[in-house]
Amino acid sequence: MIATLTLNPSIDYVMEFPTVLPGETNRSLGEQIYPGGKGINVSIMLRRLGVESRCIAVKAGETGELLEKLLRDQGLSPKMIPQEGVGFTRINVKLLGKEITELNARGPLLTPDAMEGVFRELDSLEQGDILVTAGRFPEGEAAEALFSCLSRLKERGVKLAVDCSGPALRRLMELGPFLAKPNLREFQELTGISLADWSGISAGASRFWRQGTGGAFGAEHILLSMGGDGGALFWDRDHILYAEAPDGQ
């Protein structure tokens, strides 16, 4: 079974413009709303591929209720952990013009009660299950509690797949996850190797293969996203897959 964890989900409010003029009144050509958050995106895509997952996320206020409805409209049966007294689930605004401008909200801080609810859901995972941990991590004591929980899960045989950035990604790599999905910038920060060409990228991946499979700093497998240059899956030395980025809106 695959579970996804999104601790800072969003509602993405997308507005389309012929052009966006700062300091002026801009009237959109149309608007749409979508559920947002990296872990949520994974569950939605798995659903479209015919694979069921357990979508675990937190919700707050009326926008949190709307987020849950949007997820159910996508065919998911999400496990939403409520947060009380912290405002509302964030709304991110995406302005589509000649260029894309994103206004991403910070979102509410996780409450201790919400974290306890998250841990109860995670504790039900069993050996061989996969947990996709994606997006922004909490801070302070909540972060330490979450890292401890993930470490216990790995010891119990739960496979960790991580997609985050900054200090959280480095901490998670210390657990030797099953899969890591950095982008080029994040990967270069981790390896300290120039990734200007394929040889540098391969050298960085090889370093993590050697360390990750032994449980030290690194990951067993690496899925590297390279923006317009596509993506590469480094499974092992004999299995490296590359895909170009498809054209599309």
Side-chain angles (χ1 to χ4, degrees):
M1 190 268 293
I2 300 175
T4 66
L5 177 62
T6 310
L7 295 176
N8 193 30
S10 67
I11 292 174
D12 290 347
Y13 183 49
V14 180
M15 308 176 71
E16 184 178 356
F17 298 90
T19 186
V20 177
L21 301 176
E24 301 289 340
T25 298
N26 296 269
R27 301 191 185 280
S28 72
L29 302 176
E31 309 86 30
Q32 292 179 301
I33 56 173
Y34 302 95
K38 287 185 176 181
I40 283 173
N41 290 339
V42 172
S43 279
I44 290 174
M45 185 55 66
L46 287 172
R47 172 68 177 172
R48 293 177 182 175
L49 295 172
V51 178
E52 296 300 322
S53 66
R54 183 189 303 174
C55 180
I56 305 170
V58 296
K59 65 177 181 178
E62 293 183 356
T63 52
E65 298 301 324
L66 175 58
L67 173 63
E68 183 170 357
K69 179 183 182 301
L70 292 173
L71 292 175
R72 295 189 183 280
D73 290 344
Q74 291 281 347
L76 300 178
S77 299
K79 181 58 181 180
M80 306 297 290
I81 311 299
Q83 297 195 95
E84 303 295 338
V86 293
F88 53 88
T89 294
R90 63 184 177 140
I91 300 173
N92 293 335
V93 180
K94 318 289 184 179
L95 308 179
L96 307 184
K98 292 182 178 179
E99 298 178 329
I100 298 176
T101 300
E102 300 191 23
L103 307 175
N104 288 347
R106 176 187 174 118
L109 295 177
L110 281 169
T111 64
D113 287 345
M115 286 302 301
E116 287 300 321
V118 168
F119 294 153
R120 284 194 296 270
E121 286 296 315
L122 296 182
D123 283 340
S124 66
L125 298 178
E126 301 175 348
Q127 182 176 359
D129 288 343
I130 298 173
L131 173 62
V132 180
T133 304
R136 197 181 83 191
F137 262 55
E139 302 173 356
E141 294 182 2
E144 294 304 318
L146 181 57
F147 285 125
S148 295
C149 177
L150 296 177
S151 179
R152 292 194 304 272
L153 290 175
K154 184 173 185 295
E155 291 174 359
R156 283 169 32 196
V158 175
K159 298 180 179 181
L160 302 180
V162 300
D163 180 7
C164 56
S165 60
L169 176 59
R170 182 168 291 277
R171 285 287 302 275
L172 287 170
M173 294 294 268
E174 293 173 0
L175 300 179
F178 172 74
L179 175 71
K181 196 219 72 66
N183 58 33
L184 276 176
R185 176 184 57 79
E186 295 161 350
F187 197 44
Q188 183 162 310
E189 291 175 355
L190 283 172
T191 63
I193 296 175
S194 173
L195 305 181
D197 53 35
W198 187 253
S199 62
I201 292 173
S202 298
S206 296
R207 174 180 298 181
F208 281 103
W209 282 336
R210 289 196 300 271
Q211 296 179 344
T213 53
F217 184 85
E220 294 183 40
H221 314 291
I222 297 170
L223 180 59
L224 181 63
S225 57
M226 298 180 286
D229 293 326
L233 174 61
F234 296 87
W235 193 255
D236 56 41
R237 294 184 181 278
D238 297 322
H239 300 89
I240 302 174
L241 303 178
Y242 171 79
E244 295 181 349
D247 293 330
Q249 296 299 318

